[in-house]
Every structure is written in structure tokens, then in C-alpha cells.
Amino acid sequence: MHAIVYHGPGQKAWEEVPKPMIEDDTDAIVKVDTVTICGTDLHILKGDVAAVTDGRILGHEAVGTVENVGSGVKNVKVGDRVLVSCITACGACRYCRDGSYGQCIGGGGWILGHKIDGTQAEYVRVPFADTSTYAVPAGVTDEEVLMLADIGPTGYEVGVLNGRVRPGDVVAVVGAGPVGLSAIMGAKLFSPAHVVAIDLADARLEAAKQFGADITVNPAREDAVAIVQGLTEGLGADVAIEAVGVAPTFEQCTTLVRPGGTVANVGVHGGPATLHLEDLWIKNVTITTGLVDTYSTPTLLRLLATHQIDLARFVTHRFAMADFLEAYDTFADAAQTRALKVVLTA
Ligand code: NAD
Ligand code: ZN
């Protein structure tokens, strides 16, 4: 079969590799029908994720058809259409028993396209198949479901739910990439008074409007803190969601939030940020961090199946898997191509 294989920083190839086989009796082999590329894959290609080594097949998002299952797999059957989630769950460890699958210490967590071969391939081996895949509901497309492999639950759990968004809140979302847009979409489920999207790219701000932001701010031209204070009688946002992953945007979130509010950090940070405790200690501010757990995936699948959320609008570009390298170029050049999510099909 063919797969996207990582060969060290800046090096990847769509190349012939052995087809995966069942290794543990809880594995499934899934034929990948639809797959996408994550911003995190670009981080890996920059060499930012040391655990990914030469020869690793990338990718942690897919929708596919089950081709084979191990003898210990009970609920997933050959021929089933399944969502392969970015998080694998052993289902039995202390963290999995608590729904914190991202922190799994029984062999799961974020492993696909990281510690084991991933989904950017014609076939993928999925460990702990019963607790790491989700049946695709009737009446929805593979593409829509694919948006729940990572970005959907990430924006919702780590942004909206960690941020404790409530009806009537003013929610500021810094970074309107796929993850920030997913946080905007999730926040709207709670009827906020205002959703303020903050991004340096005007194309992303336009997308934010389509996803439900009623106010957009480009900090290159406008003062985000002044705008949010203007909406809140000088207090600040009830919830500030960081969806970029650099120190200045985290620090900005701590200035956007009101006393008693919450800063929910979603971004993956490669370096330290300053915590201004000298300003924050008196403000009763809560700061949350998190790797997505995907405990919300069943909820989001129900919202998708009943048309309460629209995931199709994330997909801006489509490719055949044979054109994987072109898809990577399009996704990496989002400022020019206006890409949000690119989808590849077998
Ligand atoms: P992305 O790169 O597509 O989007 C980031 C956005 O931030 C872009 O639109 C960019 O224009 C904007 N931006 C950059 N600098 C800015 C600044 N100074 N002020 C305002 N906006 C700025 O990324 P994405 O795919 O949407 O992911 C967002 C973050 O979430 C990344 O750090 C990603 O690694 C992380 N992530 C976290 C988890 C998790 O479990 N916590 C899971 C998936 C992704
Ligand atoms: Zn576990």
C-alpha cells in the first residue's frame, strides 16, 4: 500500500510500505476511505515533535471501513464504517475509567501518527478498536464525520467546556484556524451574548463570521482588549479561548478575560509564556489547559446526525490520495489558498 512517511524534519514521501497486520487481539485494520491533515502534522514536519521518528506514517484522523478485527474485538465488525479518532483509549486504565482518554496510560492516548503508524495511508492498524473507533451514523457524509476525529472535540472540550461557556457570556476566541472555528461553533450551542474572533488573517476572520462570530478583530489594526471591554462595561470576556499556541496570544487571553472569568488554553505551545500573577492573583481567574480526550465525540456525532452543527463547511479543498503531497502544500499555504481542512479520498 501507499502512505505518507516521515523522514525527518522537512522530509516526507507518498511511498510504498507494507500493509499493516493485526498485532494484538484488540486491533482492527481499517481501510482508509477519507483522511485529512492537521496543523499538528505540520508541527511534526518542522521537527517540533521529537517522539515522531524516521519511517513513521503520519496522520491521526480518518473515516474508513473495517477490513479485519482481532479475536478480542467485540463491537466493531468487518464492513463497519468507523471514525478513527486522534485519541486511542485502552478503556481500562485509571484515566480511561475517568473519561480522560487523552491521558491513557494503558497504551493509548495520542499514538496514531505519533508513536505508531497513522492514518495517512491506504490502511491503518487501530489498537483498542472497541474503545477507539465510533460508528458512522446514517445520513451523514464521511467528510463531516472526519471533522470529529480531532478539531471538533478539541475546540468543544478544551475550549468551550473547559472554558465553562454559559448562556449570555461574552466569549473571545484568539486564533480562528480550524480549532478556533470549532470552538466558535461549540460556543454558539450555549447562546453566548457575543463571540469575538481575533486573528491576524482576514480570510480566517471571514470564516469566523460564517461559523457564528458576531464581532471580528484583527489585532494588526485594532485593539482587541478595548473592543472586548467596550462590549462588557469595561470588565472583559467571561471566557477567553487561546487557539494559536504562542506566548503572546496566551498572554493576551489573560488580559482579555474579566475578573472571575476563565482562560481556556487549547494551543500547543513550543515554548514558555509569562504568567502575570502580579495582575492575575487578585482577579479570581481560572486558567485551564488540556489535550483533547474525545469524550465528547458521541455528543458531537448526535449533534451532527440531527443537523444541530454543520461540519461540511470546514472542508475547503478535496484531493485524491495519490495527490497527497499537493494537499500538504495547499494546507501549509493556508494564507494564500484559504484552506481550512483538506480532505483526501481513496
Ligand atoms: P492554525 O495554525 O490553522 O490556526 C491558528 C490561527 O492563529 C491562524 O488563523 C493564524 O492566522 C492565527 N494567529 C497566529 N498568530 C496570531 C496572533 N498573534 N494573534 C491572533 N491570531 C494569530 O491552527 P489550528 O489547526 O486551528 O490549531 C490551533 C492550535 O490548536 C494549534 O496550536 C494546534 O497545535 C492546537 N491543537 C491543540 C489540541 C489539543 O488537544 N489541545 C489538538 C489539536 C490542535
Ligand atoms: Zn487507558
Side-chain angles (χ1 to χ4, degrees), residues 177-342:
V179 169
L181 294 172
S182 145
I184 291 170
M185 186 184 74
K188 292 292 283 182
L189 294 168
F190 293 86
S191 302
H194 295 290
V195 175
V196 184
I198 301 163
D199 200 298
L200 292 169
D202 289 326
R204 290 282 167 90
L205 293 175
E206 283 168 35
K209 283 224 154 131
Q210 285 162 24
F211 278 77
D214 56 314
I215 296 154
T216 57
V217 180
N218 188 326
R221 296 189 298 266
E222 297 158 298
D223 181 347
V225 172
I227 290 170
V228 168
Q229 287 185 346
L231 292 168
T232 55
E233 296 170 345
L235 291 179
D238 298 284
V239 183
I241 296 174
E242 198 288 337
V244 184
V246 294
T249 49
F250 173 77
E251 291 162 22
Q252 180 175 50
C253 284
T254 65
T255 62
L256 286 166
V257 72
R258 69 164 170 82
T262 302
V263 172
N265 183 82
V266 189
V268 172
H269 290 261
T274 304
L275 185 64
H276 285 285
L277 269 183
E278 72 278 21
D279 300 323
L280 289 166
W281 74 270
I282 202 167
K283 289 189 181 169
N284 297 20
V285 166
T286 300
I287 297 175
T288 63
T289 65
L291 168 69
V292 65
D293 285 312
T294 68
Y295 64 80
S296 70
T297 303
T299 303
L300 294 172
L301 280 166
R302 281 197 300 281
L303 290 170
L304 171 66
T306 54
H307 310 292
Q308 305 298 315
I309 54 174
D310 175 1
L311 299 172
R313 59 195 165 164
F314 278 106
V315 181
T316 53
H317 295 75
R318 295 173 178 81
F319 297 89
M321 270 197 219
D323 299 322
F324 227 121
L325 295 177
E326 194 189 334
Y328 257 99
D329 290 343
T330 301
F331 182 65
D333 193 16
Q336 288 301 317
T337 62
R338 300 170 82 92
L340 293 177
K341 288 296 269 184
V342 303

Side-chain angles (χ1 to χ4, degrees), residues 91-101 293 295:
C93 75
R94 176 194 167 154
Y95 288 102
C96 283
R97 295 298 291 263
D98 203 26
S100 304
Y101 311 117
D293 285 312
Y295 64 80

Side-chain angles (χ1 to χ4, degrees), residues 12-134:
K12 62 177 177 316
W14 175 247
E15 67 187 36
E16 180 88 39
V17 290
K19 194 176 156 182
M21 292 184 309
I22 301 279
E23 291 176 21
D24 294 309
D25 66 357
T26 50
D27 290 350
I29 302 297
V30 175
K31 177 185 175 295
V32 176
D33 297 321
T34 316
V35 54
T36 181
I37 306 170
C38 181
T40 306
D41 298 320
L42 302 181
H43 275 297
I44 293 171
L45 280 161
K46 281 191 209 131
D48 289 350
V49 187
V52 183
T53 49
D54 187 357
R56 176 68 64 238
I57 297 173
L58 297 180
H60 50 265
E61 303 159 279
V63 173
T65 309
V66 176
E67 200 208 42
N68 196 2
V69 294
S71 57
V73 176
K74 295 186 180 71
N75 304 320
V76 177
K77 307 219 164 21
V78 170
D80 284 357
R81 277 174 72 217
V82 292
L83 168 65
V84 179
S85 170
C86 64
I87 299 296
T88 303
C90 82
C93 75
R94 176 194 167 154
Y95 288 102
C96 283
R97 295 298 291 263
D98 203 26
S100 304
Y101 311 117
Q103 304 297 325
C104 175
I105 49 173
W110 175 37
I111 57 172
L112 285 171
H114 181 206
K115 296 175 180 165
I116 66 168
D117 286 336
T119 55
Q120 291 173 6
E122 290 175 287
Y123 295 87
V124 60
R125 180 179 74 89
V126 182
F128 307 113
D130 277 331
T131 41
S132 309
T133 63
Y134 302 83

